[in-house]
Amino acid sequence: GENVEQHPSTLSVQEGDSAVIKCTYSDSASNYFPWYKQELGKRPQLIIDIRSNVGEKKDQRIAVTLNKTAKHFSLHITETQPEDSAVYFCAASREGAQKLVFGQGTRLTINP
Amino acid sequence: NAGVTQTPKFQVLKTGQSMTLQCAQDMNHEYMSWYRQDPGMGLRLIHYSVGAGITDQGEVPNGYNVSRSTTEDFPLRLLSAAPSQTSVYFCASSWRGGRGELFFGEGSRLTVL
C-alpha cells in the first residue's frame, strides 16, 4: 500500500522567512496530494491540494509543487507569520481509492 | 451547520473496558472515517465507510469495530481497551471519499490505564 514520508519533523524559521516541507510517496498511481494544517489543540484543516495533472498550485503565501517522476511534493510558505505556527500534514491517495494516507507531520515554529 | 461532531472530548478507561466514540455529521457526506493521531505517527486510518451499511478497514483496524446504519452517524467501538489505544481520535467526513477535502471533528482524547 501507499507510504508517505514527510520531512523535516520539526522546522523553526524566523518570521518573514520562507518554510519548505517535503513529502515522498511510494505508490506511482497516487494522483491527489492535499496538505492539512493543525493548530495546537485544534482539528486538522485543508489548506491546499494538488492533483497530478498540474505541477504547481499557489494560494496567496502558500504553494505546493509536485514532481511525479521523483514521487515527491512540497509545501512552500513565504513571508511566514506567527499564525503559520502549527503542525502540517501531507497526504496522498490514488484514483478510485477511499484511503487517504498521511505523512508523519511537521511541527513548524515561526520565531518573532 | 454543525459540521462533524464527536463525543466525548475526553475519556479515561481502564484496560479491558469497552466504550463507543460517537461521530455525527450534518453535511450529507457519504464518506466517513476514523483516524488516530499519535506523536510522530501522523494520522492513521482506522476504519472508513462509503455509505450506510458499507464499512472497510484502514491501516490500523485491530481492536476497533464500526458500523454505519445511517448517513449521519459513524460510531467507533473499542470492545476491550488496551493501553496501546491511548490516542487522540478524529472522525472525518468527505463528499468525495479519500480524494476530497476531509472535514474533521474536534477530536476525542482517550487514555487507557
Side-chain angles (χ1 to χ4, degrees):
Chain A
E2 175 68 278
N3 183 51
V4 178
E5 296 288 333
Q6 184 172 345
H7 298 281
S9 57
T10 61
L11 180 60
S12 182
V13 301
Q14 290 298 119
E15 183 177 351
D17 288 349
S18 296
V20 180
I21 302 170
K22 299 180 179 180
C23 290
T24 60
Y25 59 98
S26 62
D27 187 349
S28 57
S30 287
N31 58 5
Y32 174 61
F33 308 96
W35 286 88
Y36 284 79
K37 175 183 180 182
Q38 185 181 29
E39 296 177 357
L40 188 63
K42 301 289 184 63
R43 71 191 82 188
Q45 291 187 298
L46 180 71
I47 55 171
I48 195 168
D49 59 10
I50 191 169
R51 299 185 191 271
S52 62
N53 56 338
V54 296
E56 183 176 8
K57 185 177 180 180
K58 290 183 179 180
D59 183 2
Q60 299 182 342
R61 295 186 297 107
I62 61 174
V64 58
T65 59
L66 171 64
N67 184 327
K68 287 195 67 179
T69 302
K71 292 192 288 187
H72 67 71
F73 56 111
S74 300
L75 178 71
H76 305 255
I77 305 174
T78 59
E79 302 173 4
T80 53
Q81 300 170 5
E83 54 264 36
D84 295 328
S85 292
V87 177
Y88 291 82
F89 293 99
C90 63
S93 74
R94 62 188 297 173
E95 189 67 46
Q98 300 296 345
K99 300 180 183 181
L100 186 62
V101 179
F102 284 84
Q104 297 86 348
T106 296
R107 181 174 299 279
L108 175 63
T109 302
I110 308 301
N111 300 309
Chain B
N1 287 351
V4 179
T5 304
Q6 284 182 239
T7 56
K9 288 186 171 51
F10 300 95
Q11 184 72 49
V12 178
L13 290 178
K14 295 181 179 179
T15 297
Q17 288 185 317
S18 63
M19 77 157 300
T20 299
L21 297 175
Q22 301 291 345
C23 177
Q25 53 92 11
D26 62 359
M27 296 174 282
N28 203 31
H29 288 165
E30 291 293 333
Y31 182 87
M32 296 185 73
S33 56
W34 277 101
Y35 285 87
R36 60 177 290 173
Q37 182 176 20
D38 303 290
M41 303 291 287
L43 293 157
R44 292 182 292 169
L45 181 64
I46 304 171
H47 285 286
Y48 66 96
S49 169
V50 298
I54 306 170
T55 63
D56 205 348
Q57 297 181 349
E59 304 166 76
V60 288
N62 291 342
Y64 307 95
N65 280 351
V66 293
S67 60
R68 184 92 178 273
S69 57
T70 67
T71 299
E72 295 78 20
D73 301 298
F74 191 44
L76 179 71
R77 297 182 185 86
L78 286 71
L79 297 180
S80 179
S84 60
Q85 294 178 303
T86 294
S87 187
V88 178
Y89 292 85
F90 286 98
C91 179
S93 72
S94 167
W95 65 276
R96 197 177 171 179
R99 302 185 51 75
E101 179 176 3
L102 284 176
F103 293 86
F104 285 86
E106 292 184 306
S108 300
R109 182 175 294 274
L110 175 66
T111 301
V112 183
L113 303 176

